[in-house]
Amino acid sequence: MQATKPSGLENIHWGIRYGVCIAFLAAVFVYVLSTVGASNYLLIFAAVTGGYMALNIGANDVANNVGPAVGSGALSLFAAICIAGVCEAAGAIIAGGDVVSTIKKGIIDPSLVTDTREYIWLMAGALLGGALWLNFATWMGAPVSTTHSIVGGVLGAGLAAGGMSIANWPVMGAIVASWVISPVMGGVIAAGTLALIKRLIMYRNDKVTAAKTYVPVLVGVMAWAFSVYLILKGIKKLWKAELYQAVLIGAVIAVVVYLFSRRTVIRQALRMDNSRESVNNLFTIPLIFAAGLLSFAHGANDVANAVGPLAAIVDAFQGGAIHAKAAIPMWVMLIGAIGLAVGLAMFGPKLIRTVGGEITELDKSRAFCIVLAAAVTVIIASRLGLPVSSTHIALGGVFGVGFLREFLKTRYASQLHKIIADRTGSERDKLQAYLDDFHNAPVEEMRDMIRKSNVKKLDISIKKKERKKLKKIYRQELVKRQHLYKIIAAWIITVPISGALGALLYFVLRGLSI
C-alpha cells in the first residue's frame, strides 16, 4: 500500500473543526431568520438541522468515493478532499434537481398525515434523528449509508405520527435486502476484476507487453461504466435517459477513451520496467477521474438526504398542504452543497483513512477494481430495480478485494507448507527461511517464488489435519476483522437506531410546539 502523507486538514485542531461547522450552522440560522422571521421558528430549526445533516453526510459518506484513491496513493488526502469537495458541491447544485420527493423512497404514505403541523414535526424529527446517528457513526469510525439513516428517521417518525399502517413495508423489505445485495454484488465484481487483472497482467512474465494489451481495455470498460452510471444517476434530474441510450453513449465514450489510453500506455511502456509497481502506476489517472465522477454523482443524488426533508417542510409552510413532490429553493440547495463540502473537509479524513487503508491494503490496481465495481453494481441494480447503497457497494468492493488477497495468499502458502513437514536439520532451516520470505511477499511475487522452488517436483506426504494446522499458523488476515465486524454491526442497526431517534424527536418537537 502506498503511504499517504498527513494532510494539513488532518492537523487542524478539533476545536477549529467544530468552530468552522458551528459557524456554518450559525450562518444558516442568521440567513433563514432574516428571511422568514422569528415566528417561523420550526422552519429555522429545520434549516439548521438540514445543514447539520449535510455536514454529517460530507463527513461520513463521501469517504467511499475517494478512500480507494487515497489508500492506493493515487491521490494525496488533501488533493482528494479538494476534488471531492468541489465535485460534491457541483453535483448538488448543477444536477441535484429543482424538485425532490418529500417522502424518501416512498417508505410512508403522507396522505395518512392530514395535519400539516404533524407532518412538519415528523420530517424535522426524521432529519435530526438521521443526522444524530450519522454523527455518532462518524465519531465511531464506521462508514454507514446516509440514505438508510434518513430512511430510518422517516420511518420511525412516521410510525410515531401515524401508526403501523403508515409504513410501506414491501419497500422497507427491499431496503433491508439491499444490506446484503449491495456489498455482496460490489465485492464479487471487485474481486472478479482483480482476479482478471492478476491473470492477464500481474502473473505474466512480460508484464509490460500484457499491460499494453489489456490496460487500455480495462480503462475503456471503466469509461463505459462511469458514463452509463453518470447518465442514469448523476444527471438524471437534468435528462431522464433510457438505459439503451446511456449504454450507447457510454460505448462511444469508451471507444474514444480506449484509443487515447492505448496511445498513452504504449508511450509510457517505453519507460516502464517489468514490475508490478510500474503496471500499477498506469491506473493513477483513471483513479483520479473516478474519484471526481463518483463525488459528482454522489452530490447530485445524496444531497437529497439533507435537503429533501427540509424542502418538504418549506413546501408545507408555504403551501399549507402536503405534496408528494416539493420544489427546492436555491438557498436550501446551497445549504446542502456547502454543508457537504465543509463536513468533508473538517471530518472526512478519518473515514477516508478507514476506507482507504485500515480495512485492507490497497494499491492502484485494487483501488481501480473497487471503483469500477461501484459503477457496474449501480448499473446492474438500476436495471433490476434493486435499492442499493453506494456506501455498501464501495465497502463491499474493499472487502471483496481483501478476501481475494487472503484466499490467494493462503492457497499459495499451502503449496509450500507441504514441503517442510518432513525436513530436518539444515535443510529444514533453509526451507523455513524461504517460507518466511514467502510469507512476507506480495501475492504477485508468491507465484514466481513457488515456480522457482520446483514445488511440483517434490512429492511429500502430509496429513490433512497437519496441513490445516500449518495453514492456520501462516495465514494472514489481510482483511482486518475488527473493522469488518464493526461496520457490519453499524449497517444492521442504522435503520432501527435512526428510526428510534426520529420517533423520539417527533414526540419532543410535538410536545414543545403544543
Side-chain angles (χ1 to χ4, degrees):
M1 179 182 65
Q2 297 283 341
T4 53
K5 296 179 180 180
S7 163
L9 291 171
E10 289 182 285
N11 297 325
I12 296 176
H13 190 274
W14 285 98
I16 297 176
R17 297 178 193 228
Y18 285 114
V20 170
C21 293
I22 291 171
F24 166 69
L25 296 178
V28 172
F29 173 83
V30 171
Y31 175 81
V32 180
L33 175 65
S34 64
T35 302
V36 303
S39 60
N40 293 316
Y41 60 90
L42 192 54
L43 179 56
I44 297 171
F45 170 80
V48 174
T49 303
Y52 176 54
M53 181 63 163
L55 289 172
N56 282 289
I57 293 174
N60 192 294
D61 216 23
V62 181
N64 306 301
N65 302 327
V66 298
V70 172
S72 67
L75 278 172
S76 68
L77 184 58
F78 180 78
I81 289 175
C82 291
I83 290 172
V86 171
C87 292
E88 286 278 341
I93 295 171
I94 297 171
D98 54 6
V99 175
V100 68
S101 171
T102 56
I103 303 297
K104 184 69 178 176
K105 299 293 184 183
I107 57 174
I108 65 172
D109 183 359
S111 65
L112 298 180
V113 184
T114 56
D115 190 330
T116 304
R117 291 182 305 165
E118 290 277 344
Y119 178 72
I120 293 171
W121 296 330
L122 185 161
M123 297 306 291
L127 192 57
L128 184 55
L132 286 172
W133 164 246
L134 270 180
N135 198 161
F136 178 77
T138 303
W139 171 80
M140 191 173 62
V144 296
S145 169
T146 55
T147 299
H148 290 177
S149 298
I150 195 63
V151 161
V154 171
L155 178 66
L159 293 176
M164 296 294 287
S165 61
I166 199 173
N168 188 339
W169 294 112
V171 170
M172 280 306 303
I175 291 173
V176 171
S178 76
W179 294 346
V180 177
I181 294 169
S182 298
V184 169
M185 194 181 296
V188 169
I189 293 174
T193 306
L194 181 59
L196 187 66
I197 289 175
K198 288 180 181 294
R199 181 169 293 276
L200 294 178
I201 303 173
M202 299 301 187
Y203 293 162
R204 297 291 181 90
N205 292 327
D206 188 351
K207 296 179 178 60
V208 174
T209 300
K212 286 193 292 186
T213 302
Y214 295 111
V215 169
V217 175
L218 290 167
V219 174
V221 171
M222 182 182 188
W224 173 84
F226 270 89
S227 299
V228 176
Y229 174 82
L230 284 172
I231 293 170
L232 294 179
K233 288 291 185 181
I235 61 170
K236 64 180 181 180
K237 294 173 183 176
L238 298 177
W239 176 45
K240 187 72 173 178
E242 298 295 332
L243 179 63
Y244 78 90
Q245 294 174 312
V247 169
L248 289 176
I249 293 172
V252 173
I253 294 173
V255 170
V256 174
V257 170
Y258 165 78
L259 294 174
F260 177 79
S261 177
R262 187 169 182 271
R263 289 180 59 188
T264 303
V265 171
I266 290 174
R267 190 165 55 248
Q268 288 181 301
L270 299 174
R271 302 186 301 273
M272 286 173 56
D273 54 21
N274 191 40
S275 68
R276 177 170 149 265
E277 184 60 30
S278 293
V279 174
N280 261 303
N281 288 333
L282 296 175
F283 293 103
T284 300
I285 300 301
L287 281 171
I288 294 173
F289 274 98
L293 294 174
L294 283 172
S295 297
F296 182 90
H298 180 270
N301 283 282
D302 282 36
V303 70
N305 292 329
V307 304
L310 176 55
I313 292 170
V314 172
D315 184 66
F317 262 105
Q318 293 176 343
I322 301 168
H323 303 106
K325 297 282 185 179
I328 306 178
M330 180 52 68
W331 66 268
V332 171
M333 185 59 78
L334 285 174
I335 287 175
I338 297 172
L340 284 174
V342 173
L344 169 65
M346 294 298 101
F347 294 100
K350 181 177 181 179
L351 286 184
I352 290 174
R353 290 288 189 192
T354 297
V355 174
E358 294 180 3
I359 296 173
T360 192
E361 290 186 0
L362 297 178
D363 59 20
K364 296 180 181 70
S365 61
R366 296 168 196 155
F368 175 87
C369 296
I370 293 166
V371 297
L372 178 60
V376 172
T377 302
V378 170
I379 293 169
I380 294 173
S382 298
R383 177 61 178 167
L384 298 177
L386 299 173
V388 292
S389 163
S390 59
T391 299
H392 291 191
I393 293 169
L395 286 169
V398 174
F399 285 123
V401 163
F403 283 129
L404 176 66
R405 294 178 61 224
E406 194 170 283
F407 166 75
L408 291 175
K409 197 152 193 174
T410 303
R411 190 186 70 176
Y412 295 158
S414 68
Q415 297 180 47
L416 287 176
H417 292 153
K418 298 176 184 179
I419 71 175
I420 196 173
D422 296 331
R423 294 294 194 270
T424 58
S426 61
E427 187 181 11
R428 183 183 181 93
D429 292 339
K430 291 178 182 178
L431 284 170
Q432 184 62 62
Y434 179 85
L435 282 179
D436 290 340
D437 290 339
F438 175 85
H439 178 253
N440 295 317
V443 172
E444 288 76 13
E445 294 178 14
M446 285 180 167
R447 174 171 290 241
D448 292 336
M449 293 179 72
I450 291 173
R451 285 173 178 168
K452 292 175 182 177
S453 68
N454 295 320
V455 172
K456 294 181 180 179
K457 296 181 181 179
L458 298 172
D459 187 17
I460 302 298
S461 176
I462 182 171
K463 295 179 182 179
K464 185 176 181 181
K465 187 176 181 181
E466 293 173 334
R467 192 176 303 160
K468 285 184 177 180
K469 188 179 294 184
L470 287 170
K471 279 186 181 182
K472 190 172 183 180
I473 292 172
Y474 280 94
R475 180 179 181 182
Q476 286 192 353
E477 288 189 357
L478 300 182
V479 177
K480 308 302 186 295
R481 295 304 195 271
Q482 68 271 28
H483 289 295
L484 173 64
Y485 300 146
K486 179 173 69 175
I487 290 171
I488 289 177
W491 287 355
I492 291 172
I493 64 175
T494 289
V495 169
I497 293 294
S498 56
L501 288 171
L504 176 63
L505 290 166
Y506 161 78
F507 285 121
V508 169
L509 293 172
R510 186 172 181 268
L512 290 174
S513 298
I514 292 175

